[in-house]
Amino acid sequence: MQFIKQLGRQLGFVVLIGSAIFSASSASAVTSVIITTNTDVLFDPAYVRTLFTSNPTQVDLLLLGGVHFAPNSTQVDIDQALGTQTYNPFQNTYGNLKPVGGTFDPVQISTITLGGVQGTLLRGVYRATNSPPLSLGLTSASPNPPSLSFGGSTGDGIVCPYPSCVVLHYGYTIKVDSSLSLNPSFLQSTYTLRDSGGTVQNLTQNTPIASPQVDLNPPQLGVKNPAQYLVVYSEQINPQRPGVRVINWTQFPVLQGQTPKLSFSNSKSNPTIRVSNVQALRTNSKIPLNQLNYIGLPLTTRGFQRIPRANGTLEPGQNTRPVDVQSSPVDVPTRDIKIQIGS
């Protein structure tokens, strides 16, 4: 795998998360397009127990969501008037989760310098609001125990790489100002857990994410209704913290006749990230956000195309070399898509 250093180029950037829009004031020269993304977070409960001094058998999920960093972005505005699709982990049944009260936090925006690069940091997180909270068992004897055991899968999907697995999930819509490339500028996935026992202790873990980027040729300028869509799937892990794994699905709009180039970028402020099992699916219709996951994704025998040249280990500030995604679009009838599981 060959890599190139990440360039500090200007990035017009808009993110829709929950009911908020972030828009770059210089966006008039480019076209805004919608990207949808869902993220699965798997963790080894035995590993998480070691991070608490109390070694708990049960924890409460308090917060779950994503962090984005747009390098060198211009002024960012918020428009509360436009709503958007979300996948709220506190109001959907998925893996370990059960429907309980939760809401999208007021969006946090700040201009900071990360890894020597100045940019805009955006946090899109869901927070528990109801009592009793959403409790996750960390042992098989606990209430709401881990949903997977080693080698087991949820529905038609997740394969557990640990002795047991807790599964978390969230999703939202991202809007980016597009010229030659589409990049959601992922930085991290974050969650906060609280010891459910007598010791009150919170644990926040930030798991780095390498951001998929789709370069379009010819440029996708002035397009409001893209004819096709490209779903990019990846499995990611920080080798220094192997007890947590991120699985990401990101759906990009493309045009008929375009040959997208796919790469991944790692922020200079992130640790090393290993990206594996990269796959892509080109469709003639958009997959709804609430189906862009293992449980809801339709099945098909033609399925996703593996892209092994997009796999690799990214050091801080590295990009993978762009790879052509040569695939024919498929029609997506209800529950007619299949992905190949495993790294």
Side-chain angles (χ1 to χ4, degrees):
M1 174 57 63
Q2 292 178 310
F3 299 96
I4 57 177
K5 284 292 182 181
Q6 187 172 352
L7 300 178
R9 63 183 179 278
Q10 189 77 8
L11 177 63
F13 188 78
V14 181
V15 178
L16 281 73
I17 310 177
S19 61
I21 298 182
F22 308 85
S23 62
S25 59
S26 62
S28 58
V30 294
T31 300
S32 296
V33 299
I34 298 296
I35 296 172
T36 52
T37 182
N38 272 345
T39 301
D40 304 328
V41 181
L42 281 70
F43 66 75
D44 178 356
Y47 163 73
V48 168
R49 292 182 69 187
T50 66
L51 303 179
F52 286 87
T53 58
S54 56
N55 193 30
T57 60
Q58 192 167 354
V59 293
D60 299 331
L61 179 65
L62 303 182
L63 179 146
L64 176 66
V67 182
H68 302 252
F69 180 67
N72 303 315
S73 64
T74 56
Q75 181 178 352
V76 178
D77 301 322
I78 299 177
D79 182 355
Q80 296 286 350
L82 180 61
T84 184
Q85 266 189 316
T86 62
Y87 195 98
N88 187 334
F90 294 98
Q91 296 177 350
N92 294 272
T93 300
Y94 185 82
N96 294 83
L97 302 187
K98 56 186 178 183
V100 296
T103 187
F104 187 80
D105 255 7
V107 177
Q108 300 178 31
I109 309 173
S110 57
T111 300
I112 64 173
T113 298
L114 291 178
V117 177
Q118 186 176 25
T120 302
L121 187 74
L122 309 171
R123 285 175 55 86
V125 297
Y126 298 91
R127 186 180 300 274
T129 57
N130 283 8
S131 182
L134 174 55
S135 293
L136 305 173
L138 301 183
T139 68
S140 59
S142 304
N144 195 20
S147 58
L148 300 178
S149 56
F150 178 75
S153 64
T154 298
D156 49 359
I158 299 172
V159 175
C160 177
Y162 312 118
S164 62
C165 289
V166 173
V167 183
L168 306 178
H169 177 84
Y170 65 92
Y172 44 69
T173 301
I174 302 170
K175 188 175 182 183
V176 299
D177 286 342
S178 165
S179 55
L180 294 177
S181 62
L182 303 176
N183 191 327
S185 295
F186 293 139
L187 180 68
Q188 298 170 337
S189 178
T190 184
Y191 61 82
T192 298
L193 305 174
R194 177 180 62 195
D195 182 357
S196 301
T199 302
V200 178
Q201 183 183 0
N202 289 359
L203 169 70
T204 297
Q205 276 223 303
N206 298 316
T207 303
I209 303 180
S211 192
Q213 175 170 309
V214 170
D215 295 315
L216 302 173
N217 187 18
Q220 189 174 352
L221 293 176
V223 177
K224 295 183 179 180
N225 298 303
Q228 296 172 349
Y229 295 86
L230 184 71
V231 179
V232 176
Y233 170 92
S234 65
E235 300 175 13
Q236 305 189 22
I237 192 170
N238 172 5
Q240 300 301 315
R241 292 186 176 180
V244 182
R245 180 171 302 214
V246 169
I247 296 173
N248 180 257
W249 319 71
T250 301
Q251 182 170 227
F252 299 90
V254 297
L255 285 176
Q256 184 176 3
Q258 286 181 322
T259 301
K261 292 183 179 292
L262 173 64
S263 60
F264 286 83
S265 59
N266 187 17
S267 170
K268 289 184 178 180
S269 64
N270 270 343
T272 300
I273 302 174
R274 187 169 68 238
V275 179
S276 63
N277 199 23
V278 175
Q279 302 179 44
L281 174 73
R282 192 162 182 165
T283 67
N284 286 317
S285 58
K286 186 176 183 179
I287 299 175
L289 177 63
N290 61 0
Q291 292 186 22
L292 200 61
N293 57 68
Y294 275 126
I295 298 300
L297 191 68
L299 304 173
T300 184
T301 55
R302 285 175 286 184
F304 280 66
Q305 170 193 356
R306 290 187 184 272
I307 310 179
R309 290 175 58 199
N311 298 332
T313 300
L314 284 79
E315 300 297 330
Q318 282 189 327
N319 290 5
T320 58
R321 292 278 183 183
V323 177
D324 286 343
V325 181
Q326 301 279 4
S327 60
S328 300
V330 300
D331 294 320
V332 187
T334 303
R335 296 200 62 76
D336 193 22
I337 296 180
K338 184 177 181 181
I339 192 167
Q340 305 170 66
I341 306 302
S343 54

